[in-house]
């Protein structure tokens, strides 16, 4: 059996930051309170008021891995992270609920003054900085544009400013960081929100315990 086995509490994998903050009200609507904060506690396993449910705090990009390989039964991850993860690790996960939290969009952005629409034409070639390599590759392939992908994990906005890339593909919420660095959005790729994900084996072996929690998340996340 997986590490999160039959005799252990259900384990929910979350990342710190916006997803954690926006998940708390959903948990509370389901009658679940997290007893410690990841911002003040050094613990990576957090108890709840339900002895049958605990949280583990991991990097956002690692949430699907923990769930897929059974270290957590369920998790919450952004559509962007899931899309990249599933290219290398297909199968093993259910995505039963779009929680409608941590909303943003995946966009193409360039430095002010860069003529993107002239540069993006069939048969052209661009250098794109991103950590969302699958999404970027497929987006530009659909336009017949060749891309040299430069994988970065942070400070994405710097890449066009210092000549590392012609454009970036990154998540945008308010657009304030782009504007502060004299970048402009030129194209939306897809809207992003966070999804509840479930380990397939856990759903089979512990479905009676998981289904009420899934249902509670589904009710709490209805977009009003």
């Amino acid at each position: 059996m997986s590490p999160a086995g039959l005799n252990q509490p259900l384990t929910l994998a979350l990342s710190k930051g916006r997803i954690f903050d926006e998940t708390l009200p959903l948990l509370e609507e389901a009658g679940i309170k997290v007893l410690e904060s990841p911002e003040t506690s050094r613990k990576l396993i957090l108890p709840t008021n339900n002895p049958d449910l605990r949280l583990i705090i991991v990097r956002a990009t690692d949430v699907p891995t923990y769930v897929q390989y059974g270290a957590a039964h369920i998790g919450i991850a952004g559509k962007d992270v899931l899309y990249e993860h599933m290219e290398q690790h297909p199968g093993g996960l259910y995505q039963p609920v779009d929680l409608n939290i941590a909303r943003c969009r995946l966009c193409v952005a360039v430095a002010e003054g860069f003529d993107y629409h002239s540069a993006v034409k069939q048969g052209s070639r661009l250098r794109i900085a991103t950590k969302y390599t699958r999404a970027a590759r497929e987006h530009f392939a659909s336009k017949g544009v060749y891309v040299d992908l430069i994988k970065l994990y942070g400070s994405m906005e710097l890449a066009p400013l210092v000549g590392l890339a012609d454009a970036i593909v990154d998540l945008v919420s308010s657009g304030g960081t782009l504007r502060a660095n004299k970048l402009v959005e030129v194209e939306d790729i897809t809207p992003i929100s966070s999804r509840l994900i479930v380990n397939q084996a856990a759903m089979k072996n512990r479905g009676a315990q998981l289904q009420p929690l899934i249902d509670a998340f589904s009710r709490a996340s209805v977009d009003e």
Side-chain angles (χ1 to χ4, degrees):
M1 185 64 184
S2 63
L6 291 172
N7 296 323
Q8 294 187 15
L10 292 178
T11 300
L12 169 64
L14 280 177
S15 56
K16 290 196 292 185
R18 185 179 176 189
I19 287 180
F20 183 90
D21 293 341
E22 294 189 22
T23 297
L24 286 182
L26 302 184
L27 287 170
E28 289 176 1
E29 286 192 43
I32 297 165
K33 291 187 177 182
V34 183
L35 301 182
E36 297 184 41
S37 167
E39 300 299 335
T40 57
S41 173
R42 293 180 179 272
K43 295 179 181 177
L44 298 177
I45 300 177
L46 303 181
T48 73
N49 64 334
N50 182 342
D52 295 323
L53 178 69
R54 64 181 182 175
L55 274 61
I56 60 173
I57 305 301
V58 300
R59 288 177 63 94
T61 51
D62 291 336
V63 169
T65 301
Y66 273 80
V67 176
Q68 182 159 356
Y69 289 96
H73 302 95
I74 55 177
I76 296 174
K79 177 183 173 183
D80 53 314
V81 169
L82 290 168
Y83 193 69
E84 299 295 320
H85 173 86
M86 296 307 289
E87 181 178 40
Q88 299 295 324
H89 309 279
L93 291 176
Y94 292 123
Q95 299 182 37
V97 183
D98 182 346
L99 297 171
N100 293 308
I101 62 172
R103 291 181 177 179
C104 53
R105 56 198 184 277
L106 190 65
C107 293
V108 183
V110 299
E112 290 179 357
F114 182 81
D115 190 351
Y116 176 75
H117 295 290
S118 295
V120 178
K121 51 190 176 184
Q122 190 165 359
S124 64
R125 190 173 205 99
L126 293 174
R127 283 188 298 173
I128 306 296
T130 186
K131 66 178 177 180
Y132 304 106
T133 53
R134 179 188 181 187
R137 182 175 64 250
E138 293 180 357
H139 173 72
F140 286 102
S142 72
K143 297 175 170 293
V145 174
Y146 299 99
V147 290
D148 296 317
L149 295 174
I150 302 169
K151 190 160 188 176
L152 296 178
Y153 294 93
S155 302
M156 208 72 61
E157 296 82 8
L158 188 59
L161 303 179
V162 297
L164 180 62
D166 299 305
I168 64 172
V169 169
D170 202 11
L171 297 182
V172 175
S173 182
S174 68
T177 302
L178 293 179
R179 290 190 293 273
N181 289 284
K182 300 187 182 303
L183 269 63
V184 292
E185 297 173 52
V186 288
E187 198 167 17
D188 282 352
I189 295 178
T190 187
I192 299 294
S193 57
S194 290
R195 314 296 176 93
L196 185 70
I197 57 175
V198 184
N199 175 276
Q200 290 183 354
M203 195 66 204
K204 179 179 179 181
N205 296 321
R206 301 187 65 170
Q209 293 171 281
L210 282 167
Q211 194 59 54
L213 186 58
I214 294 170
D215 292 343
F217 269 114
S218 183
R219 290 191 299 270
S221 64
V222 172
D223 188 22
E224 297 180 358

